[in-house]
Amino acid sequence: MPQYSAMQRVVAALSHEEADRVPVILPLTLHGAKEMGLSIKDYFSKAEHVVEGQIRLMQKYHSDAYIGFLHAPLEIAAFGGEVIYVEDGPPNSGEPFLRKHDDILSMQVPDVQTNPHLRITLDAITQLKAIATDQIPIVGVVMSPFSLPVMQMGFDKYLDLIYDHRDLFWKLMEKNIEFCRAWTDAQLAAGATAIVYFDPVSSPTIIPPELYLETGFRVAQRIIPQTKGAVITHMASGRCLPILDDLIQTGTAGIGVSAEEDIAEIKGRCRGKVTLFGNLNAIEMRNWDAQTMEHKVRQLIQKAGSGGGFILMDNHGELPWQISDDTIYAIVAAVHKWGQYPIETPEQRFG
Amino acid sequence: MDNQPYLDSFIAALLCLDKDTAKSLVDDMMKTVDPITITNQLVVPALEFVGDCWEKGTVALSQVYMSGRICESLIDEILPPGNPLRTDQPPIGIAVLLDHHVLGKRVVYSALRASGFELIDLGQGLTARELVGLVRKHQVKILLISVLMLPSALHVKEITRQLKPEGVKIVVGGAPFRLDKNLYKEVDADATGDNAGIAVEVVNRYVGEYYATI
């Protein structure tokens, strides 16, 4: 078996081919701050910190991708909203800045190239690209135009908007689509290899499939096919099974799978069509010992690994601050042990 | 009286967000039964059913939220705040710890109000220290805490450490507690619930226990 680079391994998975082993992407956005002995707020204040953090994490764990993503409320900061930093977790968005529905009409779309908050991400991706060359992929992230309003206006007011003020909802979508397109293009131009399209509101956990077809699906169709790079749709722990065929129709190259769904069933339905990312339980894993982790990883690879089209990750798209180094080492070790292609399925093992 | 046909139609109306049909069913029942019976035999079971369906993945959170909102407004019409028929209860507080994602709180708030309880909304984006201060100020006996992120969930422990010795019952909910069924025990909360129907059930139980001990 030839030695694959991380890029070749990930590209093979996205092409539904088997490389040397199952790729593993560790979505470590916060742990770089630990590596550098910085507070999370300080860490995210400069592109150089994020780049150095990603380099140290790569040297330590050998993930199959750099993460060019800082945190979700960064987009809210770009729109002029508040970001609240905590010592032991991802930053949160503050009080929603769209206080009443009519504020949508006066909302200004930020310029992605000059906005100082977004600039940190773009500079980090550019610097990571110089280091990664074409050997290691860089993952960029955008909030979907359909899910961003949860932070822009608050979840309850947003659901009221979707159900009761559909015209105004589309006015907000037009602005968010304009932003999302520019933000996606800018990250790809800076050097991102693929874009994760975070869209939890589209999940059937949050809205019914028929409403998704009228809203989030139509929004995704205006972003994903136009994107000049692979797009991975991620529901951030939300389910996807009831809308799987619709998700595939958006042109997405991959789907983040919830820990609450059977990845084997999903793999059975989308083999050769979209690549699955997932789905270790990021909340539970902080209490798993190495043996439990090995069992979970092995089980996951046996369910979803054969034939390519699978990248091992957590279910949420971000490993919590509370996940220990030992737990992360255990994920990687288990993938190296059980993820070598060809995968031995339980049927093969036990006849 | 067999209320099952009413209940089935009421649930169907809620899931379609058909407030007019839901209201006409309540109005029809009002001709023969009192508002408390409607709460106990129509609204509470309907919200419990919708909550169970969400847990099983057959309805969406937006339907749970809108069902709660419809029921809350219907009950407010037939059983306004301050009505002597409303549930006798100790002070119950509800809050979001550390962040501003209020949907979970809003869903539980509506379900409890639609079930005849009055709640003190203690707010969102609160630190553990601020929340403890508000609970003491309002003499809350049952506290419902909603969180979105794991770090917020872990901070619940600071609250339980201070308030449980004072006899406050603490119920937690939100994504981290749903994804890790043992997390509520780790932070020493009294109970958790994956949906608003369970919250109603738990609060009912704690209200009963409260009156049994005073």
Side-chain angles (χ1 to χ4, degrees):
Chain A
M1 179 67 74
Q3 179 67 40
Y4 282 71
S5 69
M7 181 70 89
Q8 289 170 321
R9 202 171 285 129
V10 168
V11 168
L14 288 168
S15 309
H16 307 280
E17 292 167 3
E18 296 185 350
D20 53 345
R21 64 162 169 81
V22 167
V24 54
I25 293 183
L26 302 167
L28 295 166
T29 56
L30 304 166
H31 287 68
K34 268 187 197 173
E35 294 298 321
M36 296 182 64
L38 295 173
S39 72
I40 289 169
K41 186 175 183 180
D42 281 350
Y43 177 68
F44 286 134
S45 67
K46 285 185 180 167
E48 289 70 20
H49 292 168
V50 174
V51 172
E52 180 61 26
Q54 284 295 309
I55 291 170
R56 291 189 192 187
L57 291 166
M58 182 60 76
Q59 287 167 348
K60 200 167 168 178
Y61 302 118
H62 306 289
S63 172
D64 282 312
Y66 284 117
I67 307 299
F69 169 65
L70 277 65
H71 54 84
L74 187 92
E75 293 187 21
I76 291 304
F79 275 91
E82 181 193 14
V83 176
I84 297 170
Y85 289 89
V86 294
E87 290 173 1
D88 53 2
N92 270 307
S93 52
E95 285 277 1
F97 62 86
L98 296 176
R99 289 170 193 271
K100 52 187 192 305
H101 286 159
D102 281 352
D103 290 345
I104 291 165
L105 302 174
S106 55
M107 185 183 85
Q108 298 292 313
V109 176
D111 182 318
V112 299
Q113 294 295 342
T114 57
N115 183 279
H117 302 284
L118 303 179
R119 199 64 249 168
I120 296 173
T121 300
L122 293 180
D123 290 346
I125 292 174
T126 304
Q127 291 171 40
L128 284 172
K129 178 67 179 173
I131 296 156
T133 61
D134 288 327
Q135 297 295 302
I136 302 173
I138 300 165
V139 179
V141 174
V142 297
M143 296 298 117
S144 90
F146 184 59
S147 293
L148 188 61
V150 170
M151 292 188 286
Q152 290 174 314
M153 63 194 311
F155 216 148
D156 53 342
K157 285 198 179 67
Y158 182 45
L159 288 178
D160 294 342
L161 182 80
I162 295 174
Y163 280 112
D164 300 336
H165 306 278
R166 195 60 68 88
D167 287 351
L168 202 50
F169 160 78
W170 280 111
K171 285 192 168 68
L172 178 59
M173 287 306 102
E174 290 303 329
K175 294 190 180 195
N176 284 355
I177 287 169
E178 179 193 337
F179 171 72
C180 186
R181 277 185 180 153
W183 185 218
T184 303
D185 289 348
Q187 290 187 55
L188 288 170
T193 316
I195 296 292
V196 172
Y197 181 79
F198 259 107
D199 196 15
V201 179
S202 284
S203 162
T205 303
I206 305 296
I207 60 166
E210 55 276 15
L211 183 58
Y212 167 65
L213 284 176
E214 292 172 18
T215 55
F217 176 71
R218 287 172 59 191
V219 172
Q221 280 186 313
R222 290 179 58 190
I223 299 288
I224 296 173
Q226 283 86 353
T227 303
K228 296 176 187 68
V231 176
I232 317 304
T233 303
H234 207 296
M235 304 289 185
S237 305
R239 294 184 179 95
C240 70
L241 204 44
I243 58 165
L244 193 55
D245 294 337
D246 304 314
L247 284 171
I248 293 169
Q249 267 197 50
T250 64
T252 194
I255 296 172
V257 178
S258 165
E260 295 182 306
E261 286 184 313
D262 180 6
I263 200 164
E265 187 183 355
I266 297 174
K267 176 87 177 193
R269 279 185 49 190
C270 62
R271 184 181 289 272
K273 295 175 187 163
V274 291
T275 295
L276 302 183
F277 290 69
N279 65 346
L280 295 172
N281 187 321
I283 302 292
E284 276 186 356
M285 76 164 69
R286 72 193 193 293
N287 292 323
W288 294 348
D289 57 20
Q291 201 180 355
T292 307
M293 179 63 81
E294 183 175 338
H295 173 71
K296 299 270 187 191
V297 167
R298 184 182 174 195
Q299 210 175 32
L300 184 50
I301 287 172
Q302 287 182 337
K303 281 181 175 183
S306 72
F310 173 61
I311 294 178
L312 193 132
M313 220 172 91
D314 71 317
N315 64 316
H316 191 74
E318 183 174 67
L319 289 178
W321 175 260
Q322 288 74 15
I323 304 296
S324 70
D325 292 5
D326 286 347
T327 303
I328 301 168
Y329 280 127
I331 298 174
V332 177
V335 174
H336 283 257
K337 184 171 176 183
W338 297 106
Q340 304 295 325
Y341 282 116
I343 304 297
E344 187 183 57
T345 63
E347 292 77 23
Q348 288 166 330
R349 187 173 174 80
F350 301 112
Chain B
M1 178 184 175
D2 177 15
N3 290 326
Q4 194 60 43
Y6 278 99
L7 183 58
D8 292 343
S9 304
F10 191 68
I11 289 168
L14 291 180
L15 292 179
C16 297
L17 316 184
D18 182 354
K19 189 181 174 184
D20 292 340
T21 301
K23 184 176 177 348
S24 70
L25 287 162
V26 168
D27 290 345
D28 210 24
M29 271 186 86
M30 279 288 280
K31 292 171 189 163
T32 52
V33 297
D34 62 25
I36 290 294
T37 306
I38 291 173
T39 302
N40 293 337
Q41 295 186 12
L42 188 73
V43 173
V44 172
L47 290 175
E48 278 176 1
F49 180 84
V50 172
D52 282 348
C53 288
W54 183 65
E55 217 175 308
K56 289 175 190 152
T58 54
V59 308
L61 186 60
S62 66
Q63 290 168 297
V64 180
Y65 165 68
M66 295 301 278
S67 299
R69 214 181 71 169
I70 291 170
C71 288
E72 188 185 4
S73 89
L74 291 175
I75 292 300
D76 269 348
E77 281 179 35
I78 60 171
L79 204 60
N83 186 306
L85 287 175
R86 270 194 178 255
T87 311
D88 199 13
Q89 58 160 83
I92 303 171
I94 189 164
V96 181
L97 188 63
L98 292 170
D99 66 56
H100 290 267
H101 295 279
V102 298
L103 189 67
K105 182 186 82 170
R106 194 73 186 80
V107 166
V108 173
Y109 182 90
S110 292
L112 281 163
R113 288 207 68 246
S115 307
F117 292 103
E118 280 304 327
L119 281 87
I120 305 165
D121 186 347
L122 300 170
Q124 54 271 348
L126 300 166
T127 63
R129 190 177 169 185
E130 287 167 341
L131 183 52
V132 167
L134 286 168
V135 167
R136 286 177 178 151
K137 179 182 166 192
H138 293 281
Q139 299 184 319
V140 165
K141 300 299 177 202
I142 301 168
L143 173 63
L144 300 122
I145 304 173
S146 171
V147 302
L148 182 70
M149 316 289 278
L150 177 63
S152 316
L154 295 172
H155 282 282
V156 169
K157 198 159 192 173
E158 295 167 38
I159 297 165
T160 54
R161 186 175 49 79
Q162 295 180 72
L163 293 180
K164 281 186 73 175
E166 297 172 22
V168 179
K169 289 285 186 189
I170 296 170
V171 186
V172 290
F177 294 107
R178 210 180 73 244
L179 285 162
D180 183 346
K181 304 293 182 203
N182 290 316
L183 183 56
Y184 85 97
K185 292 180 195 162
E186 196 178 319
V187 299
D188 207 20
D190 292 292
T192 186
D194 281 354
N195 65 65
I198 296 176
V200 173
E201 195 184 302
V202 169
V203 167
N204 258 320
R205 190 170 78 234
Y206 288 153
V207 168
E209 284 178 15
Y210 175 80
Y211 285 115
T213 56
I214 58 168

